[in-house]
Amino acid sequence: MPVEFLGIAATNDGSETTPRSGGAFDKDYTLRLARAHEEHGWDRVLFAYGSGAPEPASAAAYLASKLDKLQILLAHRPNVSYPTFAAKTFATLDQISDGRITVHFITGGTDHEQQREGDYLTKDQRYSRTREYIQIVKKAWTSRSAFDHDGEHYQFADFVSDVFPVQQPRPGVSFGGSSPAAYAAGGAEADIFCLWGEPLAETAQQIESVKQAAKDAGRKDVPRIQVAFRPIIAPTEELAWEKAHRTVERIEARKAGGPLSRRHSLTNPENTGSQRLLAVAERGERFDRALWTPTAKATGGAGNSNALVGTPETVAQALLDYYDLGVDILSARGYDLLDDAIDFGRYVIPLVREEVAKRDRAKAA
């Protein structure tokens, strides 16, 4: 099966190791970083969402108008707009990009972060809302006739959009999480289910949970699986591990100067995904071929935070181990966003693609 690579569409040069050098939305840097991904073999980039961060749909429209090939994964929280309005926004973006938009729906794992934008639902209520929201967006994308809706969270009458996506029948829907509620919602509604990088055994268990949820929802297909890592590569194993330890030292130095993020607790995260990453880190630092947990531990399991450490060859083989589990979208983001995107694209992506092509040829034979 084909393999795809997802990078990050950051709007500034800040990371867990480096304070940003300018404002939250650096237009030139945003384009430069995205262009580096496009020119070095990446398939798409993610515009993430934060309560105080630059609005991602506007930034995505900016990139889509500047670049010709790079696809965009747009993160969206259902609490920030009505689903009919969101459906029109996404369809318009798909028109601007000539069919390069996928939407990643975020239920929200932290009550405090959700409340910053007026969302006071419980976590279970948020999952119920997200499922209803996705269903409405899908119908608005595909229905040429006006329709009514009377649901638990949304009610409206006689809606029909006048703008439709380029992609037919609709753009892809992406979803993530590691709780039973997440598996149920994503298994039912998602085209792509996103996981954070864990050891191979735990990842295999999560994949089975997603597949079972899809089956329980009555689907005959299953979502594609995406897994995310923080690669730390160097020409030799020794240099890679030195770089890894320096990375954690830099994270700790940044923490000493203040919080890394207003979105995430370093000590007591609410979301299951972060709790799982910290539980793995408590069991040990190294797993499988190259998985390394101190970066997750240093950040409180914030988002995609487990590293893959080694030479390009080692990291490529580690990614292929996940591919062999059924993962066909590999998400990666370094700590020096620009330089790491270039290095990963130059030295890792070609190795993985070559090996995947060999596997496909062997299967065909």
Side-chain angles (χ1 to χ4, degrees):
M1 60 183 176
V3 64
E4 295 182 9
F5 288 91
L6 170 71
I8 191 69
T11 59
N12 60 73
D13 59 358
S15 76
E16 298 93 330
T17 61
T18 309
R20 71 187 191 216
S21 61
F25 183 45
D26 181 334
K27 188 168 67 172
D28 293 337
Y29 183 85
T30 300
L31 180 57
R32 186 180 176 199
L33 179 63
R35 186 166 282 141
H37 282 85
E38 185 172 78
E39 293 174 350
H40 290 88
W42 298 78
D43 296 287
R44 60 170 58 90
V45 289
L46 165 68
F47 274 105
Y49 190 94
S51 60
E55 198 282 303
S58 301
Y62 169 67
L63 272 197
S65 68
K66 298 289 185 181
L67 301 177
D68 298 324
K69 296 182 298 182
L70 193 66
Q71 299 176 56
I72 295 169
L73 179 60
L74 176 67
H76 179 77
R77 286 185 186 163
N79 61 292
V80 300
S81 71
Y82 211 73
T84 50
F85 175 82
K88 293 186 295 179
T89 300
F90 306 144
T92 304
L93 280 170
D94 206 51
Q95 291 281 346
I96 292 170
S97 68
D98 294 321
R100 288 180 283 144
I101 294 294
T102 300
V103 183
H104 179 66
F105 290 91
I106 301 175
T107 298
T110 304
D111 290 346
H112 188 195
E113 168 68 5
Q114 295 299 122
Q115 290 165 8
R116 286 176 172 140
E117 292 189 289
D119 185 7
Y120 284 84
L121 297 187
T122 66
K123 187 173 182 180
D124 286 345
Q125 289 172 329
R126 293 199 297 267
Y127 274 110
S128 171
R129 177 183 60 191
T130 300
R131 290 185 70 166
E132 186 177 342
Y133 195 98
I134 294 172
Q135 290 164 2
I136 293 169
V137 168
K138 287 179 177 177
K139 190 166 184 178
W141 278 340
T142 56
S143 178
R144 265 58 177 178
S145 301
F147 64 97
D148 303 339
H149 182 84
D150 185 8
E152 180 182 357
H153 302 279
Y154 302 102
Q155 298 84 36
F156 55 86
D158 198 39
F159 175 81
V160 63
S161 179
D162 196 31
V163 57
F164 294 95
V166 171
Q167 298 176 77
Q168 292 296 314
R170 58 172 176 78
V173 167
S174 172
F175 193 89
S178 296
S179 66
Y183 300 144
E189 299 296 340
D191 303 300
I192 299 168
F193 197 98
C194 307
L195 302 170
W196 291 334
E198 296 185 13
L200 290 165
E202 284 80 355
T203 301
Q205 291 168 0
Q206 291 209 77
I207 292 172
E208 288 307 309
S209 295
V210 174
K211 289 180 177 178
Q212 185 61 49
K215 182 179 179 181
D216 292 344
R219 292 178 60 169
K220 298 187 183 303
D221 63 338
V222 296
R224 299 172 65 192
I225 302 296
Q226 172 184 303
V227 178
F229 303 96
R230 305 300 293 269
I232 301 174
I233 62 172
T236 68
E237 294 293 326
E238 182 180 8
L239 289 173
W241 285 105
E242 289 177 1
K243 183 178 178 181
H245 289 290
R246 284 198 309 272
T247 297
V248 171
E249 290 171 0
R250 292 173 65 191
I251 293 172
E252 295 294 346
R254 275 217 66 196
K255 284 163 56 179
L260 297 176
S261 170
R262 296 185 72 242
R263 283 185 255 169
H264 184 85
S265 169
L266 291 177
T267 56
N268 190 29
E270 296 176 30
N271 60 307
T272 303
S274 294
Q275 293 169 4
R276 288 177 63 101
L277 294 188
L278 292 180
V280 171
E282 286 300 312
R283 286 167 39 205
E285 290 192 354
R286 296 179 66 170
F287 293 85
D288 305 319
R289 194 187 300 267
L291 191 74
W292 196 56
T293 65
T295 46
K297 187 174 183 178
T299 59
N304 165 25
S305 51
N306 268 339
L308 292 177
V309 182
T311 63
E313 292 77 13
T314 296
V315 170
Q317 287 300 319
L319 291 169
L320 287 161
D321 292 338
Y322 288 89
Y323 175 83
D324 291 338
L325 289 181
V327 177
D328 67 341
I329 304 176
L330 299 168
S331 174
R333 171 166 55 102
Y335 290 93
D336 182 328
L337 300 179
L338 181 61
D339 289 346
D340 287 347
I342 293 170
D343 286 347
F344 188 89
R346 281 177 175 167
Y347 304 120
V348 178
I349 289 178
L351 295 177
V352 176
R353 291 201 193 279
E354 181 180 357
E355 287 300 318
V356 167
K358 287 181 182 178
R359 283 163 164 75
D360 289 346
R361 288 195 295 269
K363 287 178 183 177

